[in-house]
Amino acid sequence: MMKYTESHEWIKLDGDVATVGISDYAAKALGDVVFVELPGVGDDVDAGGELAVVESVKAASEVYAPIAGEVTAVNDALEAAPETVNAAPTEGGWFVKMTVADASALDALMDEDAYKDYCAGL
Amino acid sequence: MNNQGRPTAPDAANTNTLAPKTHSGNQALNQAVQLIFEVGDLATTGIDLPQPKGTKSRLGDQARKGPIGLPGLSEPETMRHYVRLSQKNYAIDLGVYPLGSCTMKHNPRLNEKVARMPGFADVHPLQPIATVQGALELMSELSHWLMTLCNMPAVALTPKAGAHGELCGMMAIRARLDADGQTQRRRVLVPESAHGTNPATAVQCGFTVDEIPASGDGRVNLDALKARIDSNPDDVAGIMLTNPNTCGLFERDIIEIADAIHAAGGYFYCDGANFNALVGRVRPGDLGVDAMHINLHKTFSTPHGGGGPGSGPTVLSDALKDYAPVPYVVQTKEGYDLVENADDKSFGRMCAFHGQMGMYSRALTYMMSHGSDGLRQATEDAVLNANYVQASLSDVMTPAFGGVCMHEALFDDRFLKDTGVDTLDFAKAMIDEGYHPMTMYFPLVVHGAMLIEPTESESKQELDRFIGSMRHLAEKAKAGNVEMFKQAPVYAPMRRLDETQAARKPVLRWVEPEEVGVAAE
Ligand SMILES: Cc1ncc(COP(=O)(O)O)c(C=O)c1O
């Protein structure tokens, strides 16, 4: 199941590996993404720590790690095709895969419905 | 279309069926502009000198073998190329330039006259000190004015722009912290509405940035700031705060903020980019500022933004003045002298020489020709103009925050909700109206931000015309004229450019069309 943060990242747990990206709302708000800077495989990240940088025609912003863990893979394809973040933010536009230090940390994040309500209130 | 498949001619006016498509691509005075490589060609040369007789090259195998790859243009062709380009340029000398956070004020012609005086314009930085006394006096006088306006005891003139001044101030803070053995202070607090150069500077100086959230009224959230300081006062190196901030609002709690930072043992860097709202009314030294850059190119009317270089003198408090960079001007019994060598406190040198002389002469001319009363009036007029714009547009556009603003008026895009028009489209339509668009999508804390800074240069009549255009566009958007906005600009020579592709796949080098063909195969 997909979970969301207030800073508009999504995270999806698959066994013991989590995939992280930015939400459709975030991709729309950013506008056309022109550059994505990804972390190194093997980097340790804290919950709320900087995970990646995404740059659009309007702004550059940070992508934060929804939970703590170690980066196990990054979506290199975004380097050549940053537009994937706009076209398919929750699929081909994923940013990193990471281990999950503590799966219960996911419980604190919003589910789909809660996130929808959260965005509607922004 | 030119030979690279790039449209060169304006086709907008062609909605008028009476306007013929011209063979040349020109439209009367609106001349099509080719790339300089397309004006000349690589096989010709504009200057054809005979081979000098009786000389022998000593370049050996260093001598160039192939052609240099630059187009050969004659002098008239070159002149025309640049004149045509210049005619497509928007400038403060052409119309209102309401680019927020940039203070695009008029550059008085008197500045230019003074800057061209040979004693200022034709000096060389390595000239003997005795031969440049006038230039040094000017720098000393400028320093005096800046220190007086800021009520600060020192100023480093050399920084070459605002961001460079930030670097200067933060390096001075770091030098002081290191000298005091406070090497655990490596955190710099930066409000979320800050200009991107603030966090970038902090990181460049080896600090880590902690973002401080804004409160609902667009100012620093004092409680959040204090909570952050209290959580670990010992790691705080300082704060970087802009005042008025990038929302055009005065940070009312600035003295309390300064006190809190000082009590924690940190320093207060103030981003002085918006000093045009304060000159003659508020002295940063009285607010507890330890370092602040002044964008001479904004506040003190030196041409910038394609018109000229920046200059970012940085004033320093008692706590930091010993750490100032070299070189700087001192007055001795014999005249003016330059201190070139850093003592053990100064953090060193930021530039090879003494900074932007041409900006110093213009800025000082502006100050002296206005006088202290004139500078204060300019400040008041700048704030009045911004408030006039905000008040005149409040019923058709949506100000981001309530209440009076300082020198710039900030709107968000709520008034465009459900119109299908966004901030970018609105800005493009302003181009058709003949105005340089306002700053857009900055500050980031405001959705679809439109930041308008009219400066004191505009008369009421000029502002009324500008306001008229803005009202017209806001009403058109609300009336459902989406297509007009999506098409805009239709009167600009190049229509709407593909900014996304330009950022994703920038073409930075001209390549010969044949090569393009080869590469495509
Ligand atoms: C608030 C603010 N800070 C800093 C700067 C940086 O100044 P400069 O462009 O002269 O480096 C700017 C310039 O646009 C600014 O608006």
Side-chain angles (χ1 to χ4, degrees), chain B residues 101-102 161-164 166 195 197-198 242 246 271 273-274 293 295 297-298 310 442:
Chain B
S101 211
C102 295
H164 206 209
E166 291 173 38
H195 193 259
T197 49
N198 292 184
T242 310
T246 60
D271 179 327
N274 295 338
H293 74 265
N295 306 60
H297 48 291
K298 299 181 180 178
F442 175 81

Side-chain angles (χ1 to χ4, degrees), chain A residues 59-115:
Chain A
S61 43
E62 268 109 47
V63 177
Y64 301 102
I67 54 161
E70 187 193 317
V71 176
T72 55
V74 298
N75 189 359
D76 286 328
L78 296 183
E79 207 168 291
E83 57 271 23
T84 318
V85 176
N86 293 111
T90 54
E91 284 153 38
W94 62 277
F95 279 48
V96 305
K97 292 190 192 295
M98 59 189 287
T99 63
V100 181
D102 171 14
S104 69
L106 284 161
D107 299 341
L109 303 176
M110 288 176 275
D111 63 17
E112 187 93 43
D113 286 342
Y115 180 67

Side-chain angles (χ1 to χ4, degrees), chain A residues 32-34 57-60 64 80 82-83 86, chain B residues 211 422 440-441 444 447 499-501 503-505:
Chain A
D32 291 340
V33 172
V34 295
V57 284
K58 289 188 209 165
Y64 301 102
E83 57 271 23
N86 293 111
Chain B
E211 201 172 87
D422 62 21
M440 49 173 192
Y441 300 114
L444 299 175
H447 201 269
E499 290 163 26
T500 305
Q501 270 313 97
R504 282 183 186 154
K505 306 223 153 47

Side-chain angles (χ1 to χ4, degrees), chain B residues 313-352:
Chain B
T314 302
V315 286
L316 299 168
S317 66
D318 270 321
L320 297 180
K321 66 175 197 290
D322 293 345
Y323 302 88
V326 290
Y328 53 88
V329 180
V330 287
Q331 199 174 359
T332 68
K333 272 206 281 312
E334 287 78 44
Y336 293 93
D337 202 0
L338 279 165
V339 175
E340 290 276 11
N341 294 313
D343 58 17
D344 52 354
K345 281 193 166 172
S346 160
F347 74 70
R349 179 180 285 270
M350 300 191 80
C351 315

Side-chain angles (χ1 to χ4, degrees), chain B residues 455-474:
Chain B
T455 83
E456 71 279 9
S457 301
E458 306 307 336
S459 65
K460 177 166 181 302
Q461 290 75 4
E462 196 68 68
L463 285 181
D464 283 338
R465 278 191 286 272
F466 172 72
I467 288 163
S469 283
M470 297 294 280
R471 294 187 67 87
H472 167 77
L473 293 179

